């Protein structure tokens, strides 16, 4: 909620990065901005609330954010109770770890001071690993059955 223009800088790769100190741990965190994040920042640039607070996004309470997430869930036909905490969990599991982002990177993104904390999220994706291995096993079986068997 406190993110402002001073938190955006060019990183080691020449792209835009968010550079902040975490509120909870006070650890410095550097996160490259993905294009969708840059689009959202641009979208709210002239918003009346961002002008007043000098932040990149309008400030809303956690309660209001969760209320908006409930509206999104309803419109999308999602039966789960969506919350900000669940969004963090989804980032950690579905978006990053399941797409091959190393656990060390995910740990930094989430602001965890110990990788053990992030490993809790990694256990959730063991099911995904199991599913992926079944797919591999099926491919290997298909390849073996397609080969010509030669009798000696």
């Amino acid at each position: 909620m406190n993110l402002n223009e001073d938190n955006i800088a060019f990183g080691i790769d020449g792209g835009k990065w968010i550079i902040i100190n975490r509120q909870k741990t006070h650890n410095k965190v550097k996160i490259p901005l993905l294009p969708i994040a840059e689009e959202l920042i641009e979208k709210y640039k002239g918003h009346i609330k961002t002008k007043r607070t000098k932040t990149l996004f309008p400030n809303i309470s956690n309660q209001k954010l969760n209320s908006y997430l409930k509206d999104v869930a309803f419109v999308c036909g999602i039966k789960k109770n969506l919350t900000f905490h669940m969004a963090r969990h989804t980032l950690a599991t579905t978006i990053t770890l399941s797409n091959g982002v190393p656990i060390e990177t995910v740990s930094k993104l989430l602001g965890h001071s110990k990788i053990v904390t992030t490993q809790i999220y990694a256990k959730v994706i063991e099911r995904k690993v199991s599913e992926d291995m079944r797919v591999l096993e099926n491919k290997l079986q298909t390849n073996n059955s397609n080969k010509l068997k030669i009798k000696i």
Side-chain angles (χ1 to χ4, degrees), residues 47-110:
H47 194 280
I48 191 165
K49 288 184 178 180
T50 61
K51 284 182 179 180
R52 189 177 67 230
T53 60
K54 295 188 168 93
T55 57
L56 294 178
F57 300 106
N59 285 323
I60 59 172
S61 68
N62 193 46
Q63 183 179 7
K64 190 64 180 170
L65 175 62
N66 288 336
S67 173
Y68 287 146
L69 288 172
K70 284 181 185 182
D71 292 343
V72 169
F74 177 77
V75 169
C76 296
I78 298 171
K79 303 288 185 223
K80 288 187 177 185
N81 181 28
L82 300 184
T83 63
F84 178 77
H85 180 74
M86 185 182 283
R88 256 180 79 82
H89 185 80
T90 301
L91 170 73
T93 56
T94 308
I95 298 173
T96 57
L97 290 171
S98 290
N99 284 298
V101 175
I103 195 164
E104 296 84 0
T105 302
V106 176
S107 185
K108 286 242 186 240
L109 289 172
L110 295 175

Side-chain angles (χ1 to χ4, degrees), residues 23-59:
Q23 285 181 334
K24 188 175 175 182
T25 62
H26 303 291
N27 292 338
K28 184 173 250 178
V29 139
K30 298 177 180 182
I31 305 167
L33 277 178
L34 295 176
I36 187 70
E38 289 190 60
E39 287 176 32
L40 288 169
I41 289 170
E42 195 60 36
K43 176 180 179 176
Y44 288 100
K45 213 169 212 167
H47 194 280
I48 191 165
K49 288 184 178 180
T50 61
K51 284 182 179 180
R52 189 177 67 230
T53 60
K54 295 188 168 93
T55 57
L56 294 178
F57 300 106
N59 285 323

Side-chain angles (χ1 to χ4, degrees), residues 110-134:
L110 295 175
H112 294 159
S113 53
K114 296 178 182 170
I115 202 154
V116 174
T117 308
T118 313
Q119 287 172 332
I120 294 165
Y121 291 100
K123 288 182 192 258
V124 174
I125 65 164
E126 285 180 7
R127 195 169 106 223
K128 174 82 171 111
V129 171
S130 174
E131 291 167 5
D132 291 345
M133 291 306 288
R134 275 202 199 102

